[in-house]
Amino acid sequence: MDARILLASGFVALAAIAGVLVVAASPDKPEPASLAEAKLATPAPVAAARPAPLPKKDEPFVIKRILPITGAIKYGEWHWDDKNVPAGPIVVTVDLDARVLSVFRSGYEIGATAVLLGTEDKPTPLGVFPITQKDKDHVSNIYTGAPMPYMQRLTNDGITLHGSDVALGYASHGCVGMPNDFAAKLFSTTKVGDKVYITRGKQVGMGDSLAGG
């Protein structure tokens, strides 16, 4: 017999045996597609949920410098020195007993002035007030069109910081009035949202802490 015929017959026999083995190894019923996929693909790990960030709290605002002012500040007098003071948050304080407004930047006092305040009938309120509006050329719509230059609003019922003629014997309707030149400097320094602390007899000193703006 031809050797090539014998070789071909051998290949056919081997192929038949291999087919029988494959059929014998196969399961009677195919596995569900979901199980087959589960075996082939390793599931990706589920990332742990990240906690939501906590709201930012006010940071301490520590007084680092007080302007070297000798004696009480007189009506119409004001001081301003921001030379070499670093940039940072602005905080304004008003002491009703001392009748003094102070301006702090990054904890350094950069300005101070004597101010006009309200009367017993219309007092300047105590509290912490964010500046909610600024208007350089504001005119009052409550008090017969009175000019209120460099106005910075503190309350919705008309309490503001503004420029005024600060002199002995004068008073406001609850606003904090300051010399116009000082009011202009303050206006250019603050922004909406900066805080104004109005206290009675509580002047801040070196190392004292306020809430940041």
Side-chain angles (χ1 to χ4, degrees), residues 37-38 40-48:
E37 292 172 0
L40 293 174
T42 302
V46 179

Side-chain angles (χ1 to χ4, degrees), residues 129-146:
F129 306 93
I131 297 170
T132 59
Q133 179 191 3
K134 299 178 63 169
D135 184 357
K136 180 180 177 181
D137 301 308
H138 187 71
V139 175
S140 175
N141 54 5
I142 299 177
Y143 303 111
T144 62

